[in-house]
Short mmCIF file of all heavy atoms in Angstrom, two decimals:
data_model
loop_
_atom_site.label_atom_id
_atom_site.label_comp_id
_atom_site.label_asym_id
_atom_site.label_seq_id
_atom_site.Cartn_x
_atom_site.Cartn_y
_atom_site.Cartn_z
N LEU B 62 -99.47 41.96 -218.61
CA LEU B 62 -99.48 43.10 -217.68
C LEU B 62 -98.06 43.46 -217.24
O LEU B 62 -97.71 44.64 -217.18
CB LEU B 62 -100.35 42.76 -216.47
CG LEU B 62 -100.43 43.82 -215.36
CD1 LEU B 62 -101.03 45.10 -215.88
CD2 LEU B 62 -101.25 43.30 -214.18
N LEU B 63 -97.23 42.44 -216.96
CA LEU B 63 -95.85 42.71 -216.56
C LEU B 63 -95.13 43.51 -217.65
O LEU B 63 -94.47 44.52 -217.37
CB LEU B 63 -95.09 41.40 -216.30
CG LEU B 63 -95.60 40.48 -215.20
CD1 LEU B 63 -94.64 39.31 -214.99
CD2 LEU B 63 -95.80 41.22 -213.89
N VAL B 64 -95.27 43.06 -218.91
CA VAL B 64 -94.61 43.75 -220.01
C VAL B 64 -95.20 45.14 -220.19
O VAL B 64 -94.48 46.12 -220.45
CB VAL B 64 -94.74 42.92 -221.31
CG1 VAL B 64 -94.14 43.66 -222.49
CG2 VAL B 64 -94.06 41.57 -221.13
N HIS B 65 -96.52 45.24 -220.05
CA HIS B 65 -97.22 46.50 -220.33
C HIS B 65 -96.83 47.58 -219.31
O HIS B 65 -96.75 48.76 -219.66
CB HIS B 65 -98.73 46.25 -220.30
CG HIS B 65 -99.55 47.41 -220.74
ND1 HIS B 65 -99.29 48.10 -221.90
CD2 HIS B 65 -100.62 48.02 -220.18
CE1 HIS B 65 -100.17 49.08 -222.03
NE2 HIS B 65 -100.99 49.06 -220.99
N ILE B 66 -96.59 47.19 -218.05
CA ILE B 66 -96.14 48.17 -217.05
C ILE B 66 -94.74 48.66 -217.43
O ILE B 66 -94.45 49.86 -217.36
CB ILE B 66 -96.16 47.56 -215.64
CG1 ILE B 66 -97.61 47.27 -215.21
CG2 ILE B 66 -95.52 48.50 -214.63
CD1 ILE B 66 -97.71 46.45 -213.94
N LEU B 67 -93.90 47.72 -217.86
CA LEU B 67 -92.53 48.11 -218.23
C LEU B 67 -92.53 49.03 -219.45
O LEU B 67 -91.84 50.05 -219.47
CB LEU B 67 -91.68 46.86 -218.50
CG LEU B 67 -91.35 46.03 -217.26
CD1 LEU B 67 -90.65 44.73 -217.65
CD2 LEU B 67 -90.47 46.82 -216.30
N ASP B 68 -93.30 48.68 -220.50
CA ASP B 68 -93.26 49.54 -221.70
C ASP B 68 -93.86 50.92 -221.42
O ASP B 68 -93.35 51.93 -221.89
CB ASP B 68 -93.88 48.85 -222.92
CG ASP B 68 -95.38 48.63 -222.80
OD1 ASP B 68 -96.10 49.61 -222.57
OD2 ASP B 68 -95.84 47.49 -222.98
N THR B 69 -94.93 50.96 -220.61
CA THR B 69 -95.52 52.26 -220.31
C THR B 69 -94.58 53.11 -219.45
O THR B 69 -94.58 54.34 -219.55
CB THR B 69 -96.88 52.08 -219.60
OG1 THR B 69 -97.70 51.24 -220.42
CG2 THR B 69 -97.59 53.41 -219.39
N SER B 70 -93.75 52.45 -218.63
CA SER B 70 -92.82 53.20 -217.78
C SER B 70 -91.81 53.99 -218.60
O SER B 70 -91.18 54.91 -218.07
CB SER B 70 -92.09 52.24 -216.84
OG SER B 70 -93.01 51.67 -215.93
N LEU B 71 -91.66 53.64 -219.87
CA LEU B 71 -90.71 54.38 -220.72
C LEU B 71 -91.14 55.83 -220.92
O LEU B 71 -90.32 56.65 -221.33
CB LEU B 71 -90.56 53.68 -222.07
CG LEU B 71 -89.80 52.35 -222.03
CD1 LEU B 71 -89.87 51.66 -223.37
CD2 LEU B 71 -88.36 52.56 -221.61
N VAL B 72 -92.40 56.19 -220.63
CA VAL B 72 -92.80 57.60 -220.77
C VAL B 72 -91.98 58.48 -219.80
O VAL B 72 -91.80 59.67 -220.03
CB VAL B 72 -94.31 57.85 -220.49
CG1 VAL B 72 -95.17 57.21 -221.56
CG2 VAL B 72 -94.71 57.39 -219.11
N ARG B 73 -91.48 57.86 -218.72
CA ARG B 73 -90.69 58.60 -217.75
C ARG B 73 -89.25 58.80 -218.24
O ARG B 73 -88.55 59.68 -217.75
CB ARG B 73 -90.70 57.84 -216.42
CG ARG B 73 -90.09 58.55 -215.24
CD ARG B 73 -90.87 59.80 -214.89
NE ARG B 73 -90.21 60.51 -213.81
CZ ARG B 73 -89.17 61.34 -213.99
NH1 ARG B 73 -88.68 61.52 -215.20
NH2 ARG B 73 -88.65 61.97 -212.97
N LEU B 74 -88.84 57.95 -219.21
CA LEU B 74 -87.45 58.02 -219.70
C LEU B 74 -87.32 59.11 -220.75
O LEU B 74 -86.60 60.09 -220.54
CB LEU B 74 -87.07 56.66 -220.27
CG LEU B 74 -85.58 56.34 -220.35
CD1 LEU B 74 -84.95 56.37 -218.96
CD2 LEU B 74 -85.38 54.96 -220.98
N SER B 75 -88.03 58.95 -221.88
CA SER B 75 -87.99 59.99 -222.91
C SER B 75 -89.11 59.73 -223.91
O SER B 75 -89.50 58.58 -224.10
CB SER B 75 -86.65 60.01 -223.63
OG SER B 75 -86.55 58.90 -224.49
N PRO B 76 -89.62 60.78 -224.56
CA PRO B 76 -90.65 60.58 -225.58
C PRO B 76 -90.15 59.66 -226.70
O PRO B 76 -90.92 58.81 -227.19
CB PRO B 76 -90.90 62.00 -226.12
CG PRO B 76 -90.52 62.90 -225.00
CD PRO B 76 -89.38 62.21 -224.31
N GLU B 77 -88.88 59.80 -227.07
CA GLU B 77 -88.34 58.99 -228.17
C GLU B 77 -88.37 57.50 -227.85
O GLU B 77 -88.79 56.68 -228.67
CB GLU B 77 -86.90 59.42 -228.50
CG GLU B 77 -86.77 60.78 -229.16
CD GLU B 77 -86.67 61.91 -228.15
OE1 GLU B 77 -86.92 61.67 -226.94
OE2 GLU B 77 -86.37 63.06 -228.55
N SER B 78 -87.90 57.13 -226.63
CA SER B 78 -87.85 55.70 -226.30
C SER B 78 -89.26 55.12 -226.19
O SER B 78 -89.51 54.00 -226.65
CB SER B 78 -87.08 55.49 -225.00
OG SER B 78 -87.70 56.19 -223.94
N TYR B 79 -90.21 55.89 -225.62
CA TYR B 79 -91.58 55.38 -225.52
C TYR B 79 -92.17 55.17 -226.92
O TYR B 79 -92.74 54.11 -227.21
CB TYR B 79 -92.47 56.33 -224.71
CG TYR B 79 -93.88 55.82 -224.59
CD1 TYR B 79 -94.20 54.80 -223.70
CD2 TYR B 79 -94.90 56.33 -225.40
CE1 TYR B 79 -95.48 54.31 -223.61
CE2 TYR B 79 -96.19 55.84 -225.31
CZ TYR B 79 -96.48 54.83 -224.41
OH TYR B 79 -97.75 54.34 -224.33
N ASN B 80 -92.01 56.18 -227.78
CA ASN B 80 -92.57 56.07 -229.13
C ASN B 80 -91.96 54.92 -229.91
O ASN B 80 -92.65 54.23 -230.66
CB ASN B 80 -92.37 57.38 -229.90
CG ASN B 80 -93.28 58.47 -229.39
OD1 ASN B 80 -94.16 58.22 -228.56
ND2 ASN B 80 -93.08 59.69 -229.88
N ALA B 81 -90.65 54.68 -229.71
CA ALA B 81 -89.98 53.59 -230.43
C ALA B 81 -90.58 52.24 -230.02
O ALA B 81 -90.85 51.39 -230.87
CB ALA B 81 -88.48 53.62 -230.14
N VAL B 82 -90.78 52.05 -228.72
CA VAL B 82 -91.28 50.74 -228.25
C VAL B 82 -92.77 50.59 -228.57
O VAL B 82 -93.22 49.52 -229.00
CB VAL B 82 -91.00 50.58 -226.75
CG1 VAL B 82 -91.72 49.36 -226.19
CG2 VAL B 82 -89.51 50.46 -226.51
N ILE B 83 -93.55 51.68 -228.39
CA ILE B 83 -94.99 51.55 -228.59
C ILE B 83 -95.32 51.36 -230.07
O ILE B 83 -96.38 50.81 -230.40
CB ILE B 83 -95.74 52.78 -228.00
CG1 ILE B 83 -97.13 52.37 -227.48
CG2 ILE B 83 -95.89 53.90 -229.02
CD1 ILE B 83 -97.06 51.50 -226.25
N SER B 84 -94.41 51.76 -230.96
CA SER B 84 -94.69 51.56 -232.39
C SER B 84 -94.76 50.08 -232.73
O SER B 84 -95.41 49.69 -233.70
CB SER B 84 -93.61 52.24 -233.24
OG SER B 84 -92.37 51.61 -233.04
N SER B 85 -94.09 49.23 -231.92
CA SER B 85 -94.17 47.79 -232.19
C SER B 85 -95.58 47.26 -231.91
O SER B 85 -95.97 46.21 -232.43
CB SER B 85 -93.15 47.03 -231.34
OG SER B 85 -93.46 47.17 -229.97
N TYR B 86 -96.38 47.98 -231.10
CA TYR B 86 -97.76 47.55 -230.86
C TYR B 86 -98.67 47.86 -232.06
O TYR B 86 -99.82 47.43 -232.09
CB TYR B 86 -98.33 48.27 -229.63
CG TYR B 86 -97.93 47.66 -228.30
CD1 TYR B 86 -96.99 48.28 -227.49
CD2 TYR B 86 -98.48 46.47 -227.87
CE1 TYR B 86 -96.63 47.74 -226.27
CE2 TYR B 86 -98.12 45.91 -226.65
CZ TYR B 86 -97.19 46.55 -225.85
OH TYR B 86 -96.82 46.01 -224.65
#
Side-chain angles (χ1 to χ4, degrees):
Chain B
L62 178 62
L63 299 186
V64 176
H65 188 49
I66 294 170
L67 290 173
D68 67 55
T69 305
S70 294
L71 289 172
V72 292
R73 188 64 184 82
L74 202 60
S75 74
E77 290 87 349
S78 59
Y79 180 77
N80 287 353
V82 170
I83 212 69
S84 65
S85 64
Y86 279 106

